[in-house]
Amino acid sequence: MFHLRLNYHGSPPTDQIEKENHQQELWYFLDSMSPKKKIEVAELSQLVANVASESKCSLVVDVGAGQGYLSRVLAYSSTGLPVLAVDSSPKQQRGAESMQRRTIKRLQGPRAAANGFKWDSERAARLEHTVMHVSLDNASQLAEAAHATAPDARWMMCGLHACGDLSSAVLKAFAESDATAVVLVPCCYNHISETSQEGSVVGFPLSLGMHGTWLGQNALKTACQATSRWDASPEATLAAFRRNYFRSLLHFLMVAQNQIASDGVAPAVGKVTNTELQAALAEIPAAAIAHSSADEQDFAVYVLAALTKLDHAWRPTAEQCIACYREHGGAGLRQIAAAWTLKSLAGPLIECMVVVDRALYLAEHCTAAGRVRAFALFDPVTSPRNVVLVAQRT
């Protein structure tokens, strides 16, 4: 069975008493998380527990586990699922193990006991951590790790915001193994690979149904745009338009000053932090910007901070930056805002193409009695990357 529902209609239906008990129990795990992460872990852990129960899985492999937020809920809450937490970073593993010790201490404390939470030594053994670099070329090692952890167990995989090709690798591991189910929330479409050396695997497309489709990096970056947040955060949206304009105007200035060719690659500045902006402001003589507007000053500061971040040797004067901004000013900002809006409106369509490709791929590797679903699990304003892929072989 194949089911696709990408509009958000609230959390999936579940038994109300079961959900209330789950939410109450989560207090012991969620207090160290951001508000966004709390919602994501609460919703996804419930879904994983339900799928594990339906598929009769006795081991969950949490891929890209990071600090182990989801892993601890699955292992130590009433779901009681043995979990193998996999991450590529030894630092993340150490952090997860440290938080694991603190969580166990809390679960053994008087408040937990007063609330009826009974800790036993077997719970501690439910969660194991391992460092493993998972890629499209070695996805089979996830199955090897699962079999080594629990040789005779029915097992499944899960992942919360597995980045780029890591999501594709998890799906490939499911397709090529005896895993019973997978529950995956992908992220970072801009890090999906489409081109590679002949014969090697790429992250898109995965399915036979979309074989030959090519999107390109610009389209994949567009799929990451969080247009659902624009209405909820108008000031942040306008600030983002302004940053994009500054980047574009910097590119124009570098071409005009013969620092890069007109048909060359635009500078990949990335996010310029407030700390970097403050450091750049301190280097500009006050007299150089004294008779300029706030926007002109901000652009001059941005240029210096961005070029420093790029480690570029060229440094225009503040006067050059101000003159460039005065020439193009508000009209250029309005043009960038309009162009960025039109481009971003295509984001959900491109994201849908990626999701459909992955869902088709899962369907191609499920049994006749299997089930594949793709639906919006989180509120898109809170979590723009909110689509979950679920595949169950039986």
Side-chain angles (χ1 to χ4, degrees):
M1 183 173 71
F2 186 90
H3 178 69
L4 191 67
R5 189 194 75 214
L6 300 188
N7 288 329
Y8 180 71
H9 299 291
S11 302
T14 187
D15 180 84
Q16 188 61 31
I17 295 177
E18 177 187 0
K19 186 168 184 177
E20 288 177 0
N21 291 339
H22 184 64
Q23 292 288 345
Q24 181 179 4
E25 185 180 48
L26 288 178
W27 177 87
Y28 300 101
F29 306 93
L30 302 184
D31 71 319
S32 60
M33 303 182 199
S34 68
K36 173 178 176 289
K37 183 68 73 175
K38 288 179 181 180
I39 295 170
E40 293 167 348
V41 169
E43 296 287 357
L44 187 59
S45 62
Q46 187 67 64
L47 177 60
V48 172
N50 291 343
V51 170
S53 176
E54 292 171 6
S55 300
K56 298 180 173 58
C57 293
S58 56
L59 175 66
V60 177
V61 179
D62 182 9
V63 187
Q67 293 287 305
Y69 297 120
L70 178 62
S71 301
R72 286 190 294 278
V73 173
L74 292 172
Y76 296 153
S77 68
S78 57
T79 55
L81 291 166
V83 177
L84 176 62
V86 176
D87 199 90
S88 63
S89 168
K91 183 178 179 180
Q92 290 280 48
Q93 182 193 21
R94 290 192 296 272
E97 290 174 338
S98 176
M99 295 181 73
Q100 179 180 348
R101 290 189 291 271
R102 292 200 297 270
T103 300
I104 290 175
K105 185 176 181 180
R106 179 178 299 160
L107 293 172
Q108 292 172 327
R111 178 170 178 175
N115 289 336
F117 194 96
K118 298 180 180 179
W119 178 264
D120 58 74
S121 58
E122 291 183 1
R123 286 181 183 264
R126 289 178 186 167
L127 177 56
E128 295 183 32
H129 297 270
T130 187
V131 175
M132 181 188 303
H133 180 72
V134 179
S135 68
L136 287 162
D137 295 323
N138 65 7
S140 61
Q141 66 179 329
L142 287 171
E144 296 169 3
H147 294 153
T149 302
D152 299 319
R154 288 170 65 89
W155 66 286
M156 63 174 288
M157 288 175 285
C158 70
L160 174 56
H161 289 152
C163 181
D165 274 350
L166 180 58
S167 286
S168 301
V170 171
L171 300 180
K172 184 172 181 283
F174 172 80
E176 297 177 353
S177 71
D178 59 348
T180 305
V182 61
V183 177
L184 180 69
V185 180
C187 190
C188 305
Y189 300 125
N190 54 309
H191 292 306
I192 296 175
S193 62
E194 290 188 278
T195 58
S196 66
Q197 299 296 322
E198 186 176 352
S200 63
V201 183
V202 294
F204 178 90
L206 291 172
S207 69
L208 295 175
M210 294 190 70
H211 178 71
T213 305
W214 188 83
L215 293 173
Q217 274 298 299
N218 284 335
L220 291 170
K221 289 178 181 178
T222 300
C224 297
Q225 296 304 309
T227 54
S228 55
R229 287 180 167 176
W230 287 8
D231 284 342
S233 306
E235 292 184 1
T237 300
L238 291 175
F241 285 155
R242 194 164 178 260
R243 288 194 299 271
N244 289 328
Y245 177 52
F246 280 5
R247 280 197 292 267
S248 299
L249 200 54
L250 171 61
H251 185 197
F252 176 86
L253 181 61
M254 293 180 75
V255 171
Q257 297 294 322
N258 298 316
Q259 297 302 312
I260 54 176
S262 59
D263 58 351
V265 178
V269 178
K271 182 178 181 180
V272 178
T273 67
N274 288 333
T275 301
E276 291 166 335
L277 291 171
Q278 289 297 324
L281 177 60
E283 293 185 32
I284 299 177
I289 56 176
H291 302 291
S292 57
S293 69
D295 286 340
E296 292 165 354
Q297 292 177 19
D298 287 347
F299 178 63
V301 171
Y302 175 84
V303 169
L304 180 56
L307 291 172
T308 301
K309 191 179 185 74
L310 291 169
D311 197 24
H312 200 288
W314 175 66
R315 294 290 188 276
T317 64
E319 290 81 2
Q320 286 177 305
C321 297
I322 291 169
C324 180
Y325 191 91
R326 284 177 179 171
E327 181 180 353
H328 301 281
L333 176 57
R334 289 191 293 272
Q335 291 169 355
I336 286 292
W340 191 264
T341 299
L342 290 172
K343 176 182 177 181
S344 298
L345 290 175
L349 175 61
I350 299 166
E351 180 178 22
C352 188
M353 293 177 68
V354 176
V355 171
V356 168
D357 170 59
R358 290 170 165 180
L360 285 172
Y361 179 71
L362 289 171
E364 290 165 2
H365 292 87
C366 266
T367 60
R371 182 186 186 194
V372 175
R373 293 173 284 163
F375 57 91
L377 180 63
F378 313 130
D379 183 333
V381 175
T382 304
S383 304
R385 303 283 73 80
N386 68 336
V387 175
V388 62
L389 291 156
V390 182
Q392 297 166 264
R393 284 200 161 106
T394 54

